Amino acid sequence: MTESAEPRARRTHILADLTPLRTSPDYRRLWVGNTVSWIGQGMTALAVSLQVYDITGSAFSVGLIGFCSLVPLVVFGLYGGAVADTVDRRKLGLFSATGSFALSLVLVAATVVGIEQVGLLYVIVALQAVCFALNAPARSSMIARLLPAGQLPAANALTSMTSTTGTLVGPMLGGLIVGWWGYRAAYTVDALCFTASLYAMWRMPSMLPDRKDGEAGKRASVLDGLRFLGTRPNLRMTFFTDLCAMVLAHPRALFPAVAVLWYGGDARTTGLLVAAPALGALLGGVFSGRLGRIRRHGLAILLAVGSWGTAIAVFGLTRNLWLGLLFLALAGCADTVSMVFRTTMLQAAVPDEMRGRLQGVFIVVVAGGPRLGDFLAGSVADLASPTLAVTGGGVLCVAAVTLLALKWRAFARYDARDPQP
């Protein structure tokens, strides 16, 4: 190898591993379709928020949008996982993606005829959450069938880039499009974006769950999935560690107050605080090339969640804006590492007939954990101070993860070469 080739090879190892995109055309279509549709969803999420505020002039009414999506995600997350373990996952993914596409068309039609009803927007947001709760377990369960186990960390790092790109780029484009051409244009672009996801699902092969003899055709039970999880300590730990981070050390709800009280800023400062973890998460995905070499996934999760808690605790002590943004970005990067290995364990250590239900539990935890964290942080900040809420939460996160690691020591020894749930 020449001298110039060596640095290039090192850069290749550091950057995201694109092997899953090169080796599997089905995964490549799924990833591209999902990425495009995530950007469209981010646009619509912002456009709906802006439209609700234009109609009502009420911040509370805008806040209800989150409640309208949370309840269906929690309720239908478990149900969607059971459905994904019963029917052809390709058909379920196609059906749910078609539903999301149709809802985008309803938003377009409402703007064309001039309907400005907040209730209609709430209903559409709730139905979009239902479609997502049905689609996500099916789509996640497919990935383990499309790729070999060794490529799952790389695939999940690429998936993290999809969600963070949608979170960053979607609202930014949505704001520009609404400002220039109005709500109808934003909803129309979203509908066009969903065609990429529809095409990807249409081209997928049939993917029935690999169920035991005599169980094919029977409806998968949510309770069976929960019982399975209850007897698998390594899988339980993936959820426990995530809850430590999202419930104990999730300061998002305090960003508006922190922007003013700590940094003397305004709405723009709040926007920087919100964007910093997402940017860190995106960079974590971009520079994820070496994650595929790590075999001790449990230990990696413990270190990543501990790093999240430490970064949040230090952020709570900073009063320099750029230093605070740096630690929030580091927390976001740690979250990506944790997500990559937690998702990989759920795909590799779970039998195919249970993957949908465990992904359903994953959706409930991911959707509900941050909301509980918002409530806890806001409550502590009101009763004591934002500093105690943020720094104390980070310290509690590290302490809780340490206690979990001492309680279930086998989790740190989990080896990807012999995945034991």
Side-chain angles (χ1 to χ4, degrees), residues 18 55 116 143 184 227 230 232 244 253 317 329 334 367 376:
L18 304 182
I55 295 171
E116 293 188 349
I143 294 175
R184 185 188 310 172
R227 280 192 287 266
R232 303 303 191 272
C244 287
L317 298 175
L376 180 62

Side-chain angles (χ1 to χ4, degrees), residues 178-239:
V178 169
W180 288 339
W181 297 296
Y183 298 114
R184 185 188 310 172
Y187 297 144
T188 300
V189 173
D190 182 28
L192 293 174
C193 287
F194 263 113
T195 60
S197 182
L198 283 172
Y199 174 75
M201 286 295 178
W202 181 263
R203 292 290 304 274
M204 283 286 158
S206 177
M207 208 167 295
L208 287 165
D210 185 15
R211 305 184 69 183
K212 298 176 182 177
D213 293 340
E215 293 185 0
K218 291 183 180 179
R219 183 175 178 178
S221 168
V222 174
L223 292 178
D224 285 345
L226 294 176
R227 280 192 287 266
F228 174 84
L229 180 61
T231 59
R232 303 303 191 272
N234 285 334
L235 297 180
R236 288 202 310 274
M237 277 287 285
T238 65
F239 295 113

Side-chain angles (χ1 to χ4, degrees), residues 61-345:
S61 297
V62 177
L64 283 177
I65 296 173
F67 179 78
C68 291
S69 62
L70 173 61
V71 173
L73 282 175
V74 172
V75 172
F76 284 89
L78 295 175
Y79 175 75
V83 175
D85 285 340
T86 302
V87 303
D88 184 344
R89 289 163 179 162
R90 171 190 175 271
K91 291 181 179 178
L92 178 60
L94 187 60
F95 170 79
S96 52
T98 301
S100 296
F101 174 69
L103 290 168
S104 295
L105 293 180
V106 172
L107 286 172
V108 175
T111 58
V112 169
V113 300
I115 298 176
E116 293 188 349
Q117 296 291 331
V118 174
L120 175 64
L121 295 175
Y122 288 158
V123 169
I124 291 175
V125 167
L127 292 175
Q128 286 175 330
V130 171
C131 290
F132 177 81
L134 294 173
N135 186 274
R139 187 178 63 246
S140 298
S141 301
M142 289 177 178
I143 294 175
R145 296 272 292 270
L146 297 175
L147 297 169
Q151 293 183 22
L152 291 179
N156 291 319
L158 292 170
T159 298
S160 75
M161 293 171 62
T162 290
S163 58
T164 51
T165 299
T167 301
L168 287 171
V169 176
M172 183 170 56
L173 288 178
L176 292 174
I177 292 174
V178 169
W180 288 339
W181 297 296
Y183 298 114
R184 185 188 310 172
Y187 297 144
T188 300
V189 173
D190 182 28
L192 293 174
C193 287
F194 263 113
T195 60
S197 182
L198 283 172
Y199 174 75
M201 286 295 178
W202 181 263
R203 292 290 304 274
M204 283 286 158
S206 177
M207 208 167 295
L208 287 165
D210 185 15
R211 305 184 69 183
K212 298 176 182 177
D213 293 340
E215 293 185 0
K218 291 183 180 179
R219 183 175 178 178
S221 168
V222 174
L223 292 178
D224 285 345
L226 294 176
R227 280 192 287 266
F228 174 84
L229 180 61
T231 59
R232 303 303 191 272
N234 285 334
L235 297 180
R236 288 202 310 274
M237 277 287 285
T238 65
F239 295 113
F240 289 161
T241 53
D242 187 48
L243 288 172
C244 287
M246 294 298 101
V247 176
L248 299 176
H250 196 257
R252 178 184 59 187
L254 304 181
F255 285 162
V258 163
V260 175
L261 297 175
W262 294 359
Y263 306 118
D266 52 18
R268 288 171 293 184
T269 308
T270 304
L272 289 174
L273 294 173
V274 172
L279 180 60
L282 179 60
L283 291 175
V286 171
F287 296 101
S288 62
R290 295 188 181 275
L291 295 185
R293 299 182 177 185
I294 296 174
R295 304 299 183 190
R296 300 281 292 278
H297 290 182
L299 180 60
I301 292 169
L302 293 171
L303 293 175
V305 176
S307 298
W308 164 280
T310 301
I312 294 299
V314 176
F315 163 70
L317 298 175
T318 61
R319 294 301 179 266
N320 178 278
L321 176 60
W322 297 110
L323 190 59
L325 294 175
L326 172 63
F327 281 104
L328 287 176
L330 290 174
C333 183
D335 187 46
T336 290
V337 174
S338 170
M339 187 281 296
V340 166
F341 291 119
R342 285 185 291 111
T343 305
T344 299
M345 287 179 67

Side-chain angles (χ1 to χ4, degrees), residues 7-59:
R8 187 163 55 248
R10 284 197 292 269
R11 287 196 298 271
T12 301
H13 289 317
I14 293 172
L15 295 177
D17 185 359
L18 304 182
T19 302
L21 297 176
R22 291 194 296 265
T23 59
S24 173
D26 288 323
Y27 174 77
R28 182 168 60 246
R29 283 189 290 267
L30 189 67
W31 184 83
V32 171
N34 195 32
T35 300
V36 174
S37 64
W38 262 95
I39 293 173
Q41 290 173 68
M43 292 171 50
T44 289
L46 180 72
V48 168
S49 297
L50 292 173
Q51 190 173 12
V52 168
Y53 190 76
D54 281 348
I55 295 171
T56 66
S58 166

